[in-house]
Amino acid sequence: MTPEPEPKRDGPVAILAGSGELPILLADRLAALGRPYRILAFKGFCRRTLLSRADAVVGLLEIRRVQQILGSWRPAALTLAGGLTRPSPAALLGAIAGLRDRAALGEIIARGDDNLLRGAIRLLEADGHAVIGVRDLAPDLLAVTGAYGARRPSPRHESEIALGLRLLGDISAYDIGQAAVIAGERVLAIEGPEGTDRMLGRARRLGGWAWWVRRRSGGGVLVKAPKRGQDLRVDLPAIGPRTVENASRAGLDGIAIASGFTLVIERDRTVAIADRLGLFLTAVPLDGAAS
Amino acid sequence: MTPEPEPKRDGPVAILAGSGELPILLADRLAALGRPYRILAFKGFCRRTLLSRADAVVGLLEIRRVQQILGSWRPAALTLAGGLTRPSPAALLGAIAGLRDRAALGEIIARGDDNLLRGAIRLLEADGHAVIGVRDLAPDLLAVTGAYGARRPSPRHESEIALGLRLLGDISAYDIGQAAVIAGERVLAIEGPEGTDRMLGRARRLGGWAWWVRRRSGGGVLVKAPKRGQDLRVDLPAIGPRTVENASRAGLDGIAIASGFTLVIERDRTVAIADRLGLFLTAVPLDGAAS
C-alpha cells in the first residue's frame, strides 16, 4: 500500500495539529515523501516536539486567525490530525480569554465531540478548503485485517470481541467512548470521556469479583471501534505502545481493533511490546459500521 | 400504602441477606409488623450488625446447606435482599475453599449478575419455596413518582434524565450497570461493575474538558434505572445517603430514579442530605421498562 496523497490543487498540505502522536507521524510522512506541508498547531493540545516545527500556533477558538492563516497558505488540502476535543485546562483558559461569546463556546462543547468537529469541517469547507483524512494521506497507518504479532486470539477471545463490537455499535449514537473491556460474557468497562488509558486503569482496579470472573474466563479483551456514522476525517480511534502497556497492566489478554478504521501509532514498537508482554493484537473487519 | 406481606403458607419469612442496608431494613420492618422472620446471612456480604441477628450464617456456595436450613425453617416465603453478586475477596476465598467444582462457579459468575440470581431463584423455587421481592414485603421502600425534597429539576435536567433513561434502556441487554451520569447532551460516565459510588468518583475526577461542559450545561444528573427484563425480586437499584453525598462531591445537580423500581434507603435522611447539599432528587415513571 503506497501512501499517495492526492491533493485537488497545488499548494502544501496544511496539518491542523491537535494532541497525540498523529500530527508528528503525518508531518514526518509528508516530509519523507517530499510533499510540501505546513503545520498549524493548537496551543494546549499539540505536543511540544511539534510546536518547534509549527508554521503557526493558534488557540482553539481563534477561528478568524485560523481562517486568515489558511487563506494565506492556500493549501491543496488540509487535515485535522490528533485530538482537538477534551482540551487541557490551559487550552480552555486560553480559549475563554480569547472569546467574546462564551455561551457559544459552551454550547459547541456541550454538543459533543462529533458535532464539534463536524462543525469545524463545515466551516473550513465553506471557506473552500478540501478537508481530507489520514485515510487519504497515510492509509498505511490504518490497521489491516488480521493478527499482528505472535499471539493469536482464541475462540473465546473471538466471542469477547464480537460482544464488544456489538456493544460499541449499540451505544455509538450517544457519542461516548470508542472502547470497552470485555471478559467472558461480562462488560467490565465502557470508555467515557476519560479515554482509553484511564478506562484500562479502571479495569485494572476492579475488585475481587472481577478478579474471579477473569480468573475463570481469562484476562479479557480491549475492543476499540469507531462510532457509526463518525466522520473519519477527524476522529479515528488509535492505539499505540502506551495502549498495549496499559492493557497489559490491566491484566488483559489482548486488543482488538476495527481494521480500516483504527490507527496503529508506531506499529513496529507497538507490536514488539505486545509480543514481549504476551498480548494478542488483532484487527477485525467491521461490517458497514462507519462511513 | 400499607406493607402487607401475603405469604402463601404459614411460617416465617426467610431473609437471605446479602450486602447493604436493605436486609436490615427488611428485618426491622417485619419485626415492627410482628411478622415472624428468620435471617440467613451470607458470609462476606452481610453487614456485621446483621450477623449478630442472623439465625444462620452460610458461605455463598454452600448450596446444600442453604437448602437444608430452609427445609427445616419451612418459610412461608423467602426473599433475597441485598447484593449477592460482586463478592468481596474474603467471600470468594470462602466459596472457593468450600467448592469442589470450581469450574462451575467460574461459569456461573462469568455469566452475569442477572443470570446468577435467576439461577438461584429457579433453584429455590424448584425446592418448593415462594420467592418474593421487596416490592411485596415493603413496597413503601420503593420510590414514588415526583420530586423529593426542596429542589426541583429544570427543563434542562428533564432532558438529561430522558437521555440517561434512553441510554440505560439501550444497554440493558448487556447486563452492565444501572446508572449513568449525564451533563447537557453528554454522557459523562456509564456504570460498570465498580458500582454507582465509584462511577460518581470517576465523574468527579474528569478533567478540564468535562469541567467546561459542566460549567456551561450545569453539573449534570445521576440517572438510575433497572435493566429491562430484570428480575425485580432480586436486584432493585437503590440509592441512599451515600449516593447523595457522592453525587454532590461529583458536582452533580441532582439524582433521578425510576419510580416503582428503585429503593430509597433511609428516605428521610437521604432527602435531608439532598436538601442540605442543594441536590434535587426525583422519581420518574418508566414506560414498560422492567417486568
Side-chain angles (χ1 to χ4, degrees):
Chain A
M1 213 184 297
T2 37
E4 200 79 80
E6 303 198 57
K8 295 194 182 82
R9 298 170 295 186
D10 282 343
V13 173
I15 301 175
L16 277 61
S19 62
E21 198 76 16
L22 182 61
I24 302 170
L25 291 175
L26 270 188
D28 289 347
R29 173 64 45 89
L30 293 170
L33 290 168
R35 283 275 311 146
Y37 67 92
R38 297 249 176 127
I39 297 171
L40 183 70
F42 285 94
K43 251 183 294 198
F45 295 89
C46 182
R47 294 245 172 117
R48 266 188 199 187
T49 43
L50 195 67
L51 270 185
S52 55
R53 291 168 66 179
D55 299 278
V57 180
V58 296
L60 178 64
L61 292 159
E62 298 183 74
I63 296 162
R64 197 148 308 166
R65 233 188 110 210
V66 169
Q67 290 176 305
Q68 283 167 353
I69 291 167
L70 291 176
S72 73
W73 286 356
R74 317 186 99 260
L78 57 83
T79 189
L80 283 82
L84 282 175
T85 54
R86 303 169 193 172
S88 68
L92 265 177
L93 285 176
I96 295 164
L99 193 74
R100 288 205 194 132
D101 189 0
R102 297 178 190 190
L105 170 64
E107 250 175 53
I108 290 165
I109 292 186
R111 217 176 290 150
D113 295 359
D114 283 2
N115 286 318
L116 173 61
L117 292 168
R118 278 196 201 114
I121 287 188
R122 268 198 300 274
L123 200 71
L124 294 165
E125 287 180 332
D127 282 355
H129 296 293
V131 181
I132 61 177
V134 181
R135 288 163 62 91
D136 309 300
L137 285 170
D140 58 329
L141 288 176
L142 293 169
V144 289
T145 301
Y148 293 63
R151 188 167 172 192
R152 295 282 179 279
S154 69
R156 200 200 61 228
H157 294 134
E158 308 280 7
S159 348
E160 291 173 331
I161 294 165
L163 173 59
L165 291 176
R166 214 158 58 231
L167 169 67
L168 292 174
D170 282 354
I171 63 169
S172 66
Y174 293 93
D175 196 5
I176 325 174
Q178 304 174 306
V181 175
I182 314 289
E185 294 163 47
R186 308 297 302 247
V187 179
L188 294 189
I190 301 176
E191 184 185 302
E194 74 280 3
T196 304
D197 289 315
R198 280 163 84 178
M199 177 192 63
L200 289 172
R202 191 159 92 233
R204 178 168 54 78
R205 286 188 304 271
L206 282 175
W209 166 85
W211 169 84
W212 179 251
V213 167
R214 295 162 72 174
R215 186 172 178 276
R216 304 303 319 181
S217 68
V221 175
L222 166 67
V223 182
K224 285 202 81 157
K227 294 166 230 167
R228 265 181 214 136
Q230 187 169 330
D231 191 325
L232 298 171
R233 289 175 300 176
V234 285
D235 194 20
L236 285 173
I239 64 157
R242 200 177 49 185
T243 321
V244 178
E245 283 162 359
N246 284 328
S248 169
R249 274 190 209 108
L252 304 192
D253 292 336
I255 298 172
I257 54 182
S259 57
F261 300 105
T262 314
L263 295 166
V264 184
I265 306 285
E266 299 186 65
R267 182 166 49 195
D268 294 346
R269 200 154 82 83
T270 300
V271 173
I273 291 172
D275 280 348
R276 180 164 55 77
L277 298 173
L279 271 71
F280 68 79
L281 173 53
T282 187
V284 293
L286 212 60
D287 299 326
S291 61
Chain B
M1 212 183 298
T2 35
E4 201 77 79
E6 302 197 61
K8 296 194 183 79
R9 295 170 296 185
D10 283 343
V13 173
I15 301 176
L16 277 61
S19 61
E21 200 74 17
L22 182 61
I24 302 171
L25 291 176
L26 271 189
D28 289 347
R29 174 63 46 90
L30 292 170
L33 290 169
R35 284 275 312 147
Y37 66 93
R38 298 250 174 126
I39 298 172
L40 182 70
F42 284 93
K43 251 183 293 196
F45 294 89
C46 181
R47 293 242 173 118
R48 263 186 203 192
T49 44
L50 195 65
L51 269 185
S52 54
R53 291 168 66 180
D55 300 278
V57 179
V58 297
L60 178 64
L61 292 160
E62 298 182 74
I63 296 161
R64 197 147 311 163
R65 235 190 109 211
V66 170
Q67 291 176 304
Q68 283 166 354
I69 292 167
L70 291 177
S72 73
W73 287 356
R74 314 184 101 264
L78 55 85
T79 187
L80 282 81
L84 282 175
T85 55
R86 302 169 194 173
S88 68
L92 265 177
L93 286 177
I96 295 164
L99 193 74
R100 288 203 195 135
D101 188 0
R102 297 179 189 190
L105 170 65
E107 250 174 55
I108 291 165
I109 292 186
R111 217 176 289 150
D113 294 0
D114 283 2
N115 286 317
L116 172 61
L117 291 169
R118 279 197 200 113
I121 287 187
R122 266 197 302 274
L123 200 70
L124 294 166
E125 288 180 332
D127 282 356
H129 295 294
V131 181
I132 60 177
V134 182
R135 288 161 64 89
D136 308 301
L137 285 170
D140 58 329
L141 288 176
L142 292 168
V144 289
T145 301
Y148 292 65
R151 189 169 171 192
R152 294 282 179 280
S154 70
R156 200 200 61 228
H157 293 135
E158 308 280 6
S159 348
E160 292 174 330
I161 294 165
L163 174 59
L165 290 177
R166 215 159 56 233
L167 169 66
L168 292 174
D170 282 355
I171 63 169
S172 66
Y174 293 94
D175 195 6
I176 321 175
Q178 303 175 307
V181 175
I182 315 290
E185 295 165 46
R186 311 296 302 248
V187 180
L188 294 189
I190 301 176
E191 184 186 302
E194 75 280 3
T196 303
D197 289 315
R198 281 162 85 177
M199 176 191 65
L200 289 172
R202 190 159 93 231
R204 178 168 56 78
R205 287 187 304 272
L206 282 175
W209 165 86
W211 170 83
W212 180 252
V213 167
R214 295 162 70 176
R215 185 172 178 277
R216 302 306 315 184
S217 68
V221 175
L222 166 65
V223 183
K224 285 203 83 159
K227 294 167 228 164
R228 264 181 217 136
Q230 186 169 328
D231 191 325
L232 297 172
R233 288 177 299 176
V234 285
D235 194 18
L236 285 173
I239 65 157
R242 201 176 50 183
T243 321
V244 179
E245 284 162 359
N246 284 327
S248 169
R249 273 190 211 110
L252 303 191
D253 293 335
I255 299 173
I257 55 182
S259 58
F261 300 107
T262 314
L263 294 167
V264 184
I265 305 286
E266 299 185 63
R267 183 166 49 195
D268 294 346
R269 202 154 82 82
T270 300
V271 174
I273 292 172
D275 280 348
R276 180 164 56 76
L277 298 172
L279 270 72
F280 69 79
L281 173 52
T282 187
V284 294
L286 211 62
D287 298 326
S291 62

